[in-house]
């Protein structure tokens, strides 16, 4: 039995949440390919995260995926990772995890203060702006309201809010509220918690340790959850070291934060795959991959992307519409072309490390490389941007950095390339 099992709705979320445990020295692995969840035993580590890849699934499929993941990795503590901008099948997945885990209560705290995500008065914010007023609400599965209690209004469980004053009063106060809610409910209640600092998340996590609690949150809460029955590793120093070389990044997100990071990369390092052309010409992926490999063989970093601005996205969508393809189909095909290009670049250029931005593209890249899992090293480029190594496949052992589209400063991508180049 694992000490902690994490069920995450995408790969970058699985990675940055698992990092909350790896950074404290606990052996931590991620099952990256959702098709591998339940197909074989989870990696033999105290902490394991499973990518259900269910953020954009229909609610019924998302429920089934989460229930299967929780069942596939029995653990003393179950953590349901949710998006820190509240995208995805929030309520169905939490209810599925609550049922499959058999927990007595769900403690929901999606705040991640280190990356600008906070909750106060039930309102969830990204760098001070209510989340429903940010670009994250434009996502097909974006939040319809910034109110966390309102998002859970249709839950089939009792829902109560834990205000900031109670959280700030400490874990004993939170535990008392949890005890009252559990005693009053005829089924496991869902408590949605305010939090604006790491200390607040620590109080929530400490209170949860007194109950059979399902933790629901992101990387911020994961950093505070106690790990039962396991001690920190003592052999991770070698895994943290990275040999000098030329790294490869694959940028699949078009979030404005990611585009700003991409703009900081030297122009000659950017290898752009023509998304519109890739819809009709399979050779476009091979061309871009070989161009990236040429740089790698010269000892130079390469960054594969299908968009350096929103105009590239619109051109690809328009080309897809002319071919009778919907927007989702275009995005899937372009992501697949990027993954194919990355496979060519890795095969021909042998990069010193890989970076992937955007959960869907990251999964596609790992599948292209025949990798199903990642072991985290405990090292990170910055908060929310962890470093791991591929567990299997022909590129096993290769360092990997993943990043959600909305995470990081303008220098994050450049910093990741420097780290993966051994600097």
């Amino acid at each position: 039995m694992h000490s902690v099992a994490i069920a995450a709705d995408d790969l970058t979320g699985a990675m940055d949440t698992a990092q909350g445990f790896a950074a404290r020295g606990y052996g931590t692995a991620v099952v990256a390919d959702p098709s591998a969840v339940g197909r074989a035993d989870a990696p033999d580590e105290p902490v394991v995260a499973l990518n259900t890849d269910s953020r954009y699934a229909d609610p019924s499929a998302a429920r089934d995926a989460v229930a299967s993941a929780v069942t596939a990795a029995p653990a003393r503590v179950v953590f349901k990772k949710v998006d820190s901008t509240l995208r995805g099948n929030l309520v169905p997945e939490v209810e599925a995890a609550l049922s499959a885990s058999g927990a007595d209560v769900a403690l929901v705290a999606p705040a991640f203060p280190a990356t600008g995500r906070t909750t106060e008065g039930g309102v969830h914010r990204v760098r001070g702006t209510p989340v429903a007023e940010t670009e994250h609400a434009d996502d097909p599965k974006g939040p319809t309201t910034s109110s966390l209690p309102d998002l859970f209004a249709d839950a089939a469980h009792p829902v109560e809010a834990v205000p900031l004053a109670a959280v700030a009063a400490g874990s004993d106060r939170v535990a008392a509220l949890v005890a009252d809610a559990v005693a009053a409910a005829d089924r496991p209640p869902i408590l949605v918690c305010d939090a604006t600092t790491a200390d607040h998340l620590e109080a929530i996590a400490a209170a949860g340790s007194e109950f059979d609690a399902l933790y629901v949150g992101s990387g911020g809460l994961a950093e505070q959850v106690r790990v039962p029955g396991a001690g920190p590793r003592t052999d991770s120093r070698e895994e943290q070291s990275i040999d000098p070389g030329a790294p490869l990044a694959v940028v699949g997100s078009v979030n404005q934060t990611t585009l700003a990071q991409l703009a900081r990369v030297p122009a000659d390092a950017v290898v752009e795959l023509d998304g519109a052309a890739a819809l009709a010409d399979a050779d476009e992926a091979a061309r871009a991959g070989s161009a990236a490999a040429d740089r790698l063989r010269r000892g130079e970093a390469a960054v594969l992307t299908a968009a350096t601005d929103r105009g590239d996205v619109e051109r690809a969508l328009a080309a897809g519409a002319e071919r009778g393809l919907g927007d989702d189909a275009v995005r899937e095909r372009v992501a697949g072309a990027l993954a194919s290009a990355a496979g060519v670049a890795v095969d021909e250029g042998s990069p010193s490390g890989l970076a992937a931005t955007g959960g869907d593209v990251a999964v596609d890249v790992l599948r292209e490389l025949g990798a199903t899992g990642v072991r985290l090293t405990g090292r990170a480029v910055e908060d929310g941007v962890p470093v791991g190594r591929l567990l299997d496949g022909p590129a096993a052992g290769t360092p990997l950095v993943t990043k959600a589209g909305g995470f990081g400063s303008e220098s994050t991508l450049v910093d990741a390339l420097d780290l993966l180049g051994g600097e």
Side-chain angles (χ1 to χ4, degrees), residues 51 287 392:
N51 170 30
R287 179 205 63 78
D392 51 5

Side-chain angles (χ1 to χ4, degrees), residues 126-158:
V126 177
R127 298 184 178 90
T129 301
V131 66
E133 299 173 21
T134 69
E135 64 175 309
H136 303 288
D138 297 331
D139 187 276
K141 284 281 191 172
T144 56
T145 174
S146 301
S147 170
L148 201 54
D150 286 352
L151 286 173
F152 278 92
D154 294 332
H157 294 253

Side-chain angles (χ1 to χ4, degrees), residues 104-107 160 162 171-184 189 191 193 204 207-208 210-213:
D104 294 331
V105 62
L107 294 178
E160 295 189 21
V162 180
S171 61
D172 288 346
R173 176 60 179 147
V174 177
L177 292 177
V178 173
D180 289 345
V182 171
L191 273 63
C193 305
I204 295 165
E210 299 183 24
F211 303 86
D212 182 6

Side-chain angles (χ1 to χ4, degrees), residues 207-417:
S209 67
E210 299 183 24
F211 303 86
D212 182 6
L214 169 72
Y215 293 99
V216 180
S218 58
L221 183 61
E223 293 173 355
Q224 308 299 334
V225 170
R226 298 173 183 177
V227 179
R233 294 173 57 189
T234 59
D235 60 348
S236 62
R237 182 171 298 179
E238 183 177 343
E239 281 195 351
Q240 289 188 351
S241 65
I242 296 175
D243 295 332
L248 172 69
V250 185
V251 177
S253 170
V254 292
N255 183 283
Q256 289 300 322
T257 297
T258 293
L259 293 179
Q261 293 163 354
L262 185 60
R264 292 284 296 272
V265 175
D268 62 347
V270 178
V271 178
E272 190 165 1
L273 177 147
D274 187 328
L279 297 176
D281 185 2
D283 291 338
E284 173 61 17
R287 179 205 63 78
S290 292
D294 287 343
R295 287 190 56 84
L296 297 173
R297 286 194 295 267
R298 295 195 300 268
E300 301 169 339
V303 180
L304 278 167
T305 183
T308 57
D309 57 38
R310 296 295 304 182
D312 291 332
V313 178
E314 297 306 322
R315 282 188 287 276
L317 293 176
E322 292 178 359
R323 299 178 64 82
L325 299 174
D327 289 357
D328 288 346
V330 171
R331 293 187 178 98
E332 288 176 6
R333 291 198 183 188
V334 172
L338 273 175
S340 294
V344 171
V346 172
D347 184 53
E348 297 181 1
S350 300
S352 59
L354 299 169
T357 296
D360 291 342
V361 166
V363 171
D364 286 346
V365 169
L366 265 61
R367 281 177 174 159
E368 184 72 22
L369 300 178
T372 63
V374 181
R375 178 175 286 109
L376 296 187
T377 66
R379 190 175 182 181
V381 178
E382 61 182 70
D383 288 320
V385 189
V387 182
R389 288 184 183 272
L390 300 184
L391 274 173
D392 51 5
T398 301
L400 172 72
V401 168
T402 60
K403 185 191 78 67
F407 277 9
S409 62
E410 287 195 358
S411 68
T412 300
L413 185 54
V414 171
D415 293 342
L417 291 170

Side-chain angles (χ1 to χ4, degrees), residues 20-21 24 198-203 205-206 219-226:
F21 299 94
R24 289 181 276 160
D199 287 344
H200 296 154
L201 294 172
E202 181 182 15
L221 183 61
E223 293 173 355
Q224 308 299 334
V225 170
R226 298 173 183 177

